[in-house]
Amino acid sequence: MAAEEADVWCRRVRRVTAGGCPGAWLSPPDLQQQQQRGQLQSDVLALHPALLQQAPARSQPGPGEGSAKGSSGVSPAPAPGTDGKTLTGDFSRPCSLPLEDGQHRDLRYISPATVASLLCGQLAGVVEEYVVVDCRYPYEYAGGHIKGALNLYREEQLARWFLPDPLGTTLCPRSSVLIFHCEFSSERGPQLCRSLRRMDRDANRYPELWYPELYVLRGGYKEFYQHFQDLCEPQGYIHMRHKDFRAELRNYQRRKQPWSLRRIRKELFKPLSQGLPSHSNIPDSQRGTH
């Protein structure tokens, strides 16, 4: 290993070590952020006591997860020497937001209460910039969404918004915390979260990332709307399978199929005689003789 690469590696190890050794490497601002996160949980539960019974216990990685990693590259496994803390995607620091248990173990989940605290400015000292990405279809978004959320439901939209153009500029600050969700945060939101992480990995030298903190909103818009309806605009909720939007749903789901697959299916099921003249319609003068 070259001397320059060894020096970079040592600096990364020191940053990782800082996550779990407060007395040795943790700086005063990091200690202050940990205290603010602890106070946040108490304040939110005091304002919304119903969440105290509904919120699951904070996610704790199991044994052996330190080397496990999902295909998406969003693995929440803690690194050795971090006292069990979950690190960001570039392994440079612990996650800024408190984590929750979720359906997909390779993703990081946060609660509706945490998102509500971001919207109310209670985490301004912990998270400087954040973006809520609503992965539902436009008719669902128009019927009600989290205030300030972006409606991005296709991979090319993610790439256009978050990845740099040929001039190196992006529409979104690269240091932003990104929070994905769909109706239940069970399929569309997690899929697009993985897609962005994959594109980010492909565009950077491992383990560097433009967006090291990707989260999924636990329970999706449905659960957020149940507890924080006043933080939605308009204050409504349209289900993906609403009977008034069946045509729109079919249209959006059809677009999700790869173009190559659609062409193959079209060719396979196309009548063989299509475009050929019928034998009965060929004049006798043009028919072959035997």
Side-chain angles (χ1 to χ4, degrees):
M1 179 183 297
E4 182 180 353
E5 294 180 352
D7 182 64
V8 172
W9 177 253
C10 289
R11 290 200 298 270
R12 288 175 181 164
V13 171
R14 290 174 181 175
R15 289 199 298 268
V16 170
T17 308
C21 302
W25 296 100
L26 198 60
S27 62
D30 293 332
L31 289 172
Q32 184 178 6
Q33 289 180 7
Q34 287 186 355
Q35 295 173 354
Q36 290 176 344
R37 287 197 296 269
Q39 184 62 37
L40 162 68
Q41 294 296 326
S42 301
D43 294 343
V44 171
L45 292 177
L47 292 174
H48 302 278
L51 295 178
L52 185 59
Q53 299 178 351
Q54 299 179 5
R58 185 172 176 174
S59 175
Q60 293 293 339
E65 287 185 327
S67 59
K69 187 174 182 180
S71 59
S72 65
V74 194
S75 173
T82 60
D83 195 23
K85 296 182 182 298
T86 302
L87 301 180
T88 56
D90 59 357
F91 314 116
S92 63
R93 62 186 184 275
C95 291
S96 302
L97 301 176
L99 303 180
E100 304 285 334
D101 287 329
Q103 179 178 353
H104 304 277
R105 292 188 60 82
D106 64 318
L107 301 176
R108 298 173 173 85
Y109 285 81
I110 58 176
S111 68
T114 299
V115 176
S117 300
L118 284 169
L119 293 172
C120 296
Q122 297 176 353
L123 288 175
V126 178
V127 175
E128 296 181 0
E129 297 173 314
Y130 69 93
V131 177
V132 178
V133 182
D134 190 330
C135 303
R136 298 176 300 157
Y137 299 131
Y139 66 87
E140 300 174 85
Y141 178 86
H145 57 269
I146 298 174
K147 289 183 177 181
L150 292 176
N151 186 208
L152 306 175
Y153 58 96
R154 301 176 67 178
E155 281 192 16
E156 53 265 37
Q157 294 174 330
L158 289 178
R160 185 166 57 251
W161 193 271
F162 295 110
L163 300 185
D165 58 21
L167 298 179
T169 59
T170 59
L171 297 175
C172 177
R174 297 183 185 179
S175 60
S176 300
V177 167
L178 306 185
I179 303 166
F180 290 79
H181 78 86
C182 50
E183 184 174 3
F184 308 109
S185 286
S186 60
E187 181 178 353
R188 292 174 289 175
Q191 285 181 354
L192 288 182
C193 180
R194 293 188 182 103
S195 296
L196 181 60
R197 174 54 54 83
R198 186 190 68 251
M199 292 186 286
D200 201 348
R201 286 282 187 214
D202 293 341
N204 286 281
R205 182 178 180 181
Y206 187 86
E208 297 174 355
L209 290 168
W210 286 318
Y211 304 98
E213 290 199 65
L214 303 183
Y215 299 96
V216 175
L217 171 60
R218 191 200 69 221
Y221 182 76
K222 179 180 183 294
E223 184 171 338
F224 186 89
Y225 182 77
Q226 288 177 346
H227 301 292
F228 304 101
Q229 184 174 340
D230 56 323
L231 296 179
C232 301
E233 56 180 9
Q235 294 184 11
Y237 174 21
I238 292 182
H239 299 270
M240 182 184 74
R241 301 188 180 277
H242 194 284
K243 62 180 181 179
D244 294 340
F245 299 94
R246 291 174 180 172
E248 288 86 347
L249 175 60
R250 287 194 297 268
N251 183 44
Y252 289 121
Q253 290 183 332
R254 188 181 303 115
R255 293 181 184 179
K256 292 174 60 177
Q257 299 180 10
W259 280 102
S260 58
L261 176 60
R262 293 180 63 185
R263 292 193 185 101
I264 293 173
R265 294 179 62 182
K266 184 177 180 180
E267 292 297 326
L268 288 175
F269 292 98
K270 182 173 65 175
L272 296 177
S273 60
Q274 183 176 352
L276 298 176
S278 173
H279 187 271
S280 60
N281 295 332
I282 301 176
D284 293 339
S285 60
Q286 298 181 8
R287 296 182 183 178
T289 59
H290 300 280

